[in-house]
Amino acid sequence: MAIIQCPECDTDVSDKAEKCPKCAYPISAQLGEEKVQTIEKTSKKLKKQLVFAALATIIGFIIMVSTVSNGSNGSTFFGGFLTFIGIIWILTIKIKIWWHHE
């Protein structure tokens, strides 16, 4: 780490600093360092579907677990089916997100 002078106000500044503490002049841009910015391009539609799929999975699991003790076969089947559909839905959305990732 070296101490350099700010080109704007001549204050001593670390070469690792993003900007001068006195005048806020960008130091790292002067040294040729560029910040890497990651932009997420997953659509809101896919994010909403992922949330709904997770909710369906959780609700189905709760229904399935709560009805096992009651002995209700129809509700247990419905809960298991909803959990299965939710898991398949999550996997499908994850593959779509991966497929459309740039």
Side-chain angles (χ1 to χ4, degrees):
M1 173 168 42
I3 301 296
I4 60 172
Q5 286 190 334
C6 174
E8 191 72 24
C9 66
D10 294 327
T11 302
D12 290 335
V13 181
S14 167
D15 64 341
K16 303 290 183 194
E18 291 183 24
K19 57 187 175 184
C20 175
K22 184 175 179 184
C23 68
Y25 187 80
I27 301 295
S28 62
Q30 287 289 64
L31 298 175
E33 297 176 11
E34 294 184 22
K35 295 284 183 181
V36 175
Q37 183 178 8
T38 303
I39 299 173
E40 187 176 345
K41 293 188 177 186
T42 304
S43 70
K44 288 184 179 181
K45 178 183 171 185
L46 290 176
K47 288 179 182 178
K48 285 180 185 178
Q49 284 188 13
L50 195 58
V51 169
F52 289 136
L55 285 174
T57 304
I58 292 169
I59 291 170
F61 185 74
I62 290 171
I63 291 171
M64 185 176 65
V65 169
S66 65
T67 57
V68 165
S69 61
N70 295 342
S72 174
N73 288 337
S75 296
T76 304
F77 175 76
F78 175 73
F81 183 72
L82 189 59
T83 302
F84 177 74
I85 293 298
I87 291 171
I88 297 299
W89 194 6
I90 288 172
L91 292 175
T92 304
I93 297 302
K94 288 289 193 175
I95 290 171
K96 282 184 179 181
I97 289 171
W98 172 78
W99 189 263
H100 294 289
H101 182 71
E102 295 180 11

